Amino acid sequence: MSKLKISVALVAEQDVTVDVEAPVAELQPEGAPGVPLESVRVRGSLAKFEDGYMFRGEVSGTYHHACDRCLAAAEHPFSREVLWVFVEGSAVNFETQGEGQEGDIEPEDEDAPSVGVYSGNVVDLAPQTWEEVVLAVPLKFLCRPECAGLCPGCGANLNLESCRCAASKEPETAKPSNNGLQALAEMFPDLKPGPLEE
Ligand SMILES: [Zn+2]
Ligand SMILES: [Zn+2]
């Protein structure tokens, strides 16, 4: 059984301290696009809360991805404070409770807890953890904020070397085409470039 599944019998007696390193593959719902993360750490405590349970703690991990600019391996550690409320039975959450209108989606209220559902005798932290992992994926992966990236012309990694475009331009664009024409002229001496005459 996943270590993120916590028996409510334990919580009945006292708050349960959670410190779990869970493989992300275990959390990923079937068919969901993957995230560049091997495992995620969930730390905090699960306590009785009204008719349900409340988890307060932190979700953290490190994304590994190629830098969007220079393609070098990049790391992006993250850590998010979380507050999850679990109620028994059918799904209710703060988003659907609100009288929000379609097309009028407001950014999630940072203070509103995410609400999950538990049934039976187990609170499963996995769905909430997965949600955090997805939300924390950065829009851009950079090896460092000031990454200079690759030159679109010569492909040089501008963090490590200088652009070779200027050096390679002369022989490639100026000479070879001339050489080509000269070679053609030598092969066909009658076909001299110039005004055509009848
Ligand atoms: Zn980079
Ligand atoms: Zn270049």
Side-chain angles (χ1 to χ4, degrees):
M1 189 159 88
S2 162
K3 284 186 226 157
L4 289 171
K5 290 193 167 104
I6 293 152
S7 162
V8 298
L10 297 172
V11 189
E13 289 159 30
Q14 57 180 49
D15 296 359
V16 170
T17 302
V18 176
D19 190 347
V20 169
E21 182 91 24
V24 167
E26 230 174 61
L27 313 172
Q28 188 172 356
E30 221 176 297
V35 288
L37 179 72
E38 286 286 314
S39 68
V40 61
R41 189 170 184 194
V42 182
R43 278 185 296 177
S45 67
L46 186 67
K48 278 289 288 173
F49 176 72
E50 295 178 357
D51 294 335
Y53 299 92
M54 181 173 76
F55 178 84
R56 186 191 289 276
E58 183 190 79
V59 172
S60 60
T62 302
Y63 299 104
H64 292 268
H65 197 279
C67 171
D68 286 344
R69 287 190 196 147
C70 73
L71 307 179
E75 286 190 353
H76 184 97
F78 75 96
S79 166
R80 292 169 70 96
E81 280 184 28
V82 297
L83 177 60
W84 301 327
V85 170
F86 295 87
V87 295
E88 185 161 29
S90 58
V92 201
N93 67 51
F94 281 32
E95 280 120 302
T96 56
Q97 274 181 353
E99 303 250 313
Q101 290 155 8
E102 274 192 63
D104 186 19
I105 299 164
E106 293 190 17
E108 209 174 311
D109 185 348
E110 289 286 326
D111 298 329
S114 161
V115 178
V117 177
Y118 76 95
S119 58
N121 298 315
V122 165
V123 170
D124 188 1
L125 302 177
Q128 262 65 29
T129 302
W130 171 254
E131 204 173 286
E132 292 300 327
V133 162
V134 171
L135 285 172
V137 174
L139 293 176
K140 253 185 180 297
F141 282 98
L142 296 178
C143 59
R144 51 200 168 100
E146 68 280 11
C147 172
L150 302 179
C151 170
C154 64
N157 183 338
L158 302 176
N159 298 316
L160 308 173
E161 51 190 339
S162 52
C163 165
R164 293 182 299 262
C165 287
S168 61
K169 242 171 200 162
E170 282 175 40
E172 263 179 35
T173 57
K175 277 187 181 170
S177 56
N178 277 353
N179 287 347
L181 279 181
Q182 272 167 18
L184 269 180
E186 279 160 26
M187 284 164 76
F188 304 99
D190 295 340
L191 292 178
K192 280 180 189 161
L196 287 175
E197 285 172 84
E198 283 293 305

